[in-house]
Amino acid sequence: KMAASFQMSTALPIVAISAACGALAAVLAMRALGPRFEKRTKGASAAAVLAKELGLIPHPEGGYFLETYRAGAAPMASRGQTDTTGALISAPAREGGTRNSLTSIYYLLTPESPRQWWANNMSDHVHYFHGGGDLVYRVIEKDGSLHTHTLGPACPQLVVRGGSYKCAQLAPGAPYALIGEAVAPGFDFRDFKFVTIAELLALAPAHADELAGWVKPQPETQFDEYYKK
């Protein structure tokens, strides 16, 4: 139903749509092509073409991403850190004392990279469904309660409060899931951490065995290498 608001002529070449209307218009046109999409892209998967069209790079949490907005600053330039040349708000409880007021990214999970590893972030996240299939989120709130949420055509928006723990997986049979994530205060790796097995056992002991498969095996603490790819 959402896609109906963005109906486009499928006669236009993908390249022409991208040049005229931007990468997201090309994405919406791809969705409209249906079975003809694979033929037009010479057998490449929808996920691979989306990643290329949108300029996505691997994300430390799994999947692929592109920072599209950092308030008052050039996206991606600060490599996931607060850009002090941008629009800042006071964050006295956080390292450095300030944060960009808002950031946003495209985020893509694919059959080849179907999981978002368990992580914790201090900022609120609002997730917006753009296309593909469902994403299934597991969220542990600050009070220790565990919830399952499905982000997709039937429920196109999901809020995860700062301080919560979350992971996600592409739903079985989904060709990909493309979403947007708005983060406020803006994303900064100093506010982020991966979850360990020990932490998961403490957070949700009754469900730890079920959820352990979403713990990243060798989590990083430095992330600059991702921005060099």
Side-chain angles (χ1 to χ4, degrees):
K1 293 180 180 178
M2 291 177 60
S5 300
F6 302 100
Q7 288 179 349
M8 294 180 168
S9 169
T10 58
L12 291 174
I14 291 297
V15 173
I17 294 173
S18 182
C21 305
L24 186 54
V27 170
L28 295 169
M30 289 175 195
R31 291 172 59 191
L33 287 175
R36 287 176 287 172
F37 172 65
E38 293 290 343
K39 183 177 180 181
R40 282 177 177 242
T41 55
K42 299 181 180 179
S45 70
V49 175
L50 281 171
K52 181 178 179 181
E53 288 285 333
L54 295 174
L56 308 185
I57 62 173
H59 194 292
E61 294 177 72
Y64 306 88
F65 84 108
L66 179 74
E67 185 177 271
T68 57
Y69 180 77
R70 182 169 287 273
M76 298 291 281
S78 62
R79 297 187 174 188
Q81 302 281 349
T82 297
D83 193 323
T84 57
T85 69
L88 298 174
I89 59 173
S90 177
R94 305 191 188 193
E95 184 180 345
T98 61
R99 291 292 182 266
N100 297 119
S101 55
L102 180 70
T103 58
S104 187
I105 65 170
Y106 285 133
Y107 184 64
L108 176 73
L109 285 183
T110 71
E112 294 74 29
S113 186
R115 292 184 177 184
Q116 183 181 45
W117 304 108
W118 276 111
N120 170 263
N121 195 293
M122 296 173 67
S123 293
D124 292 345
H125 284 52
V126 185
H127 306 72
Y128 302 94
F129 177 75
H130 288 325
D134 289 341
L135 274 183
V136 180
Y137 283 85
R138 307 301 296 273
V139 178
I140 301 175
E141 305 287 353
K142 291 181 181 179
D143 63 5
S145 59
L146 174 66
H147 303 277
T148 300
H149 306 278
T150 299
L151 180 69
C155 183
Q157 184 171 308
L158 172 65
V159 176
V160 176
R161 299 293 183 187
S164 302
Y165 298 78
K166 73 171 182 178
C167 69
Q169 182 166 12
L170 189 65
Y176 64 89
L178 177 67
I179 69 169
E181 284 190 25
V183 183
F187 185 88
D188 189 307
F189 275 117
R190 292 173 292 181
D191 303 332
F192 165 91
K193 67 175 183 177
F194 284 113
V195 178
T196 66
I197 290 286
E199 287 174 313
L200 192 61
L201 284 169
L203 289 166
H207 302 279
D209 289 343
E210 171 193 353
L211 302 176
W214 284 262
V215 173
K216 190 168 187 178
Q218 296 180 316
E220 307 95 333
T221 57
Q222 299 295 322
F223 306 98
D224 272 3
E225 288 300 316
Y226 285 88
Y227 292 84
K228 297 176 183 178
K229 296 178 181 179

